[in-house]
């Protein structure tokens, strides 16, 4: 059951905006009446979009959450909710309603974007965005409005995480992270509606004219051949291309649950092309030598003294960019890197094929 309180903000129901009550309430109804949590893939979004319907106090009626509440200095979930309502200028829950154990629902949406600035890219591969949507009433006794709390931190302690959010106006980002996050939030809402088969009102200005859900693609040997050609920059003979593409496809179809079995086949492939296997610690001289070997020409790059390992990536990439190249890595999930060099124009397609083939490629 939804319960709401009056506030003093204007309503969030611009009929032309996808970030409006009509759209948000449709998503809520689907979550409430059908599946209350799900994850889905979406074009242009790293990993998955996570959508959860939570409620106070029920979602916090477990030992871990109760410990988090006490650790945060509160006695119960209602006190936490009232703390959030202060940020949203929503009236506090009365003692009478607490004793009646009424439930108060909210939607939590999480997704990742690329870091918005070159400086951030030196330290982060992706930025997490959290949007917590709370319903309320504006000049009405019925539900007709919502307010959003936001942060871009990981919720390792969920209670602390939700308490550290801030009220935001989706049309007024305060920095580059919020700017890209708020813009993508509009696309994510459209993606959620497509995933849930929710009809978006015709008068809404859609963020995108395309289908935001990935098309179902049947994995074929030709797809693996394309992947091999791109990560090897075409430096692979036909016999090896056929052999490795067949092997990778066979490995994919086996759907092995043992990670080491999957990786063994991936390693076999990467060993057949120009790559560099290094532990997490490497010197700039090593990088210059091995990358020069991979690209077939001397690569020298400038870097500050006492700079090593991952701190070298921005300087390496800057030098490679002049050659329209980019250093990438296969994610070994271990204490080592497996590097290769790709043509910069091919990077987006390599990442798309990485998703399809389950061969985990990362940008640096």
């Amino acid at each position: 059951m939804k319960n709401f309180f009056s506030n003093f903000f204007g309503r969030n129901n611009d009929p032309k905006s996808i970030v409006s009550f009509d759209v948000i309430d449709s998503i809520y109804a689907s979550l409430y009446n059908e599946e209350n949590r799900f994850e889905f893939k979406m074009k242009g979004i790293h990993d998955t979009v996570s959508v959860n319907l939570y409620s106070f106090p029920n979602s916090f009626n477990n030992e871990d959450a109760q410990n988090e509440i006490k650790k945060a200095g509160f006695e119960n979930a209602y006190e936490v909710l009232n703390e959030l309502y202060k940020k949203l200028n929503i009236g506090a829950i009365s003692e009478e309603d607490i004793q009646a154990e009424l439930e108060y629902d909210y939607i939590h949406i999480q997704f990742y974007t690329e870091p918005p600035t070159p400086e951030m890219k030196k330290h982060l591969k992706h930025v997490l965005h959290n949007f917590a949507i709370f319903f309320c009433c504006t000049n009405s006794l019925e539900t007709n409005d919502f307010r959003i709390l936001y942060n871009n931190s990981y919720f390792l302690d969920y209670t602390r995480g939700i308490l550290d959010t801030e009220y935001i106006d989706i049309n007024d980002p305060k920095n580059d992270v919020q700017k890209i996050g708020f813009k993508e939030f509009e696309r994510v809402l459209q993606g959620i509606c497509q995933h849930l088969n929710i009809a978006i009102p015709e008068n809404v200005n859609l963020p995108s004219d395309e289908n935001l859900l990935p098309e179902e693609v049947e994995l074929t040997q030709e797809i693996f051949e394309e992947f091999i050609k791109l990560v090897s920059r075409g430096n692979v003979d036909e016999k090896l291309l056929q052999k490795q593409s067949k092997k990778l496809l066979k490995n994919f179809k086996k759907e092995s649950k043992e990670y080491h079995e999957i990786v063994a086949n991936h390693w076999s492939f990467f060993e057949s092309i120009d790559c560099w296997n290094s532990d997490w610690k490497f010197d700039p001289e090593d990088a210059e030598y091995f990358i020069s070997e991979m690209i077939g020409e001397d690569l020298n790059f400038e870097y500050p003294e006492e700079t090593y390992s991952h701190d070298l990536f921005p300087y390496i990439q800057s030098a490679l960019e002049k050659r329209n190249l980019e250093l990438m890595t296969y994610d070994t999930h271990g204490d080592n890197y497996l590097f290769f060099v790709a043509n910069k124009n091919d990077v987006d397609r390599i990442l798309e094929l990485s998703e399809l083939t389950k061969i985990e490629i990362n940008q640096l």
Side-chain angles (χ1 to χ4, degrees):
M1 146 180 201
K2 280 190 289 190
N3 289 272
F4 309 94
F5 290 85
S6 179
N7 64 28
F8 301 102
F9 293 101
R11 285 191 60 200
N12 289 282
N13 203 38
D14 178 356
K16 294 184 178 181
S17 172
I18 197 164
V19 189
S20 63
F21 176 78
D22 291 339
V23 173
I24 299 292
D25 190 50
S26 295
I27 293 173
Y28 170 82
S30 181
L31 287 165
Y32 186 82
N33 294 311
E34 299 176 32
E35 188 177 17
N36 63 9
R37 61 184 60 198
F38 61 89
E39 294 183 349
F40 72 102
K41 293 277 189 179
M42 183 177 148
K43 293 177 183 177
I45 297 292
H46 170 71
D47 200 13
T48 58
V49 176
S50 173
V51 184
N52 290 273
L53 178 64
Y54 292 129
S55 72
F56 284 90
N58 282 358
S59 296
F60 296 81
N61 285 342
N62 60 77
E63 185 177 353
D64 288 342
Q66 290 299 310
N67 289 336
E68 290 175 358
I69 289 170
K70 297 295 190 296
K71 184 178 177 182
F74 297 94
E75 291 298 319
N76 56 60
Y78 289 112
E79 290 187 4
V80 174
L81 181 57
N82 276 336
E83 191 69 16
L84 300 178
Y85 277 180
K86 288 179 185 177
K87 300 181 182 187
L88 299 170
N89 201 17
I90 297 176
I93 303 167
S94 68
E95 185 61 32
E96 180 182 358
D97 289 338
I98 292 175
Q99 293 302 318
E101 298 183 346
L102 298 183
E103 296 178 23
Y104 300 83
D105 298 336
Y106 68 100
I107 302 171
H108 185 174
I109 299 173
Q110 291 181 307
F111 61 90
Y112 293 88
T113 64
E114 297 292 327
T117 65
E119 183 62 30
M120 287 190 69
K121 289 180 180 179
K122 295 178 183 178
H123 308 287
L124 294 172
K125 292 181 180 178
H126 302 95
V127 178
L128 176 64
H129 301 274
N130 293 284
F131 292 82
I133 304 171
F134 291 81
F135 291 90
C136 55
C137 303
T138 297
N139 302 322
S140 171
L141 296 177
E142 296 183 356
T143 309
N144 68 348
D145 207 348
F146 66 91
R147 289 289 171 262
I148 302 176
L149 293 174
Y150 168 87
N151 74 14
N152 62 307
S153 301
Y154 287 88
F155 281 33
L156 301 178
D157 176 322
Y158 190 88
T159 302
R160 186 71 265 164
I162 195 76
L163 284 167
D164 286 342
T165 56
E166 62 176 342
Y167 167 75
I168 53 101
D169 178 349
I170 204 75
N171 297 309
D172 186 26
K174 299 295 190 294
N175 51 51
D176 289 335
V177 171
Q178 290 189 0
K179 186 178 294 185
I180 191 172
F182 293 2
K183 192 66 178 176
E184 283 298 278
F185 181 60
E186 297 178 358
R187 289 181 68 251
V188 165
L189 288 180
Q190 182 178 342
I192 292 172
C193 289
Q194 290 180 355
H195 177 79
L196 297 174
N197 293 316
I198 293 173
I200 300 173
E202 292 184 1
N203 58 328
V204 169
N205 295 324
L206 296 178
S208 175
D209 293 329
E210 66 172 322
N211 174 22
L212 297 178
L213 304 183
E215 291 84 6
E216 290 292 328
V217 177
E218 181 182 356
L219 265 289
T220 63
Q221 185 175 333
E222 287 72 24
I223 288 176
F224 283 96
E225 287 179 7
E226 181 186 1
F227 178 79
I228 292 171
K229 288 177 182 178
L230 294 181
V231 299
S232 66
R233 288 178 290 119
N235 297 324
V236 57
D237 65 52
E238 188 64 27
K239 287 184 179 180
L240 183 60
L241 178 65
Q242 295 296 317
K243 177 182 177 181
Q244 289 294 349
S245 59
K246 287 179 181 178
K247 191 174 182 179
L248 289 172
L249 178 58
K250 183 178 180 181
N251 182 57
F252 178 87
K253 288 183 174 180
K254 285 194 303 187
E255 296 185 347
S256 173
K257 303 302 180 184
E258 294 295 327
Y259 182 74
H260 69 86
E261 291 183 17
I262 298 172
V263 170
N265 283 285
H266 294 171
W267 273 95
S268 175
F269 156 63
F270 280 104
E271 286 177 348
S272 69
I273 65 173
D274 287 330
C275 63
W276 167 31
N277 180 27
S278 170
D279 61 25
W280 288 105
K281 298 179 181 179
F282 57 88
D283 296 324
E285 294 79 11
D286 293 331
E288 288 183 334
Y289 174 80
F290 286 106
I291 296 174
S292 295
E293 287 286 303
M294 287 191 287
I295 66 175
E297 61 178 286
D298 289 338
L299 179 80
N300 301 111
F301 54 89
E302 297 182 358
Y303 51 89
E305 291 187 21
E306 305 299 320
T307 305
Y308 304 97
S309 306
H310 67 275
D311 290 330
L312 290 166
F313 289 154
Y315 308 103
I316 295 171
Q317 300 290 34
S318 179
L320 286 172
E321 187 172 16
K322 296 174 183 176
R323 296 165 170 81
N324 200 31
L325 299 172
E326 182 171 328
L327 188 67
M328 305 187 77
T329 184
Y330 167 69
D331 193 344
T332 67
H333 290 269
D335 57 357
N336 65 308
Y337 287 108
L338 187 56
F339 296 109
F340 65 94
V341 176
N343 291 319
K344 200 159 188 64
N345 294 338
D346 295 332
V347 168
D348 288 344
R349 181 56 177 164
I350 288 173
L351 294 174
E352 288 178 12
L353 292 174
S354 170
E355 290 278 345
L356 288 174
T357 61
K358 309 303 180 186
I359 301 175
E360 299 182 64
I361 302 300
N362 290 326
Q363 286 184 283
L364 297 168

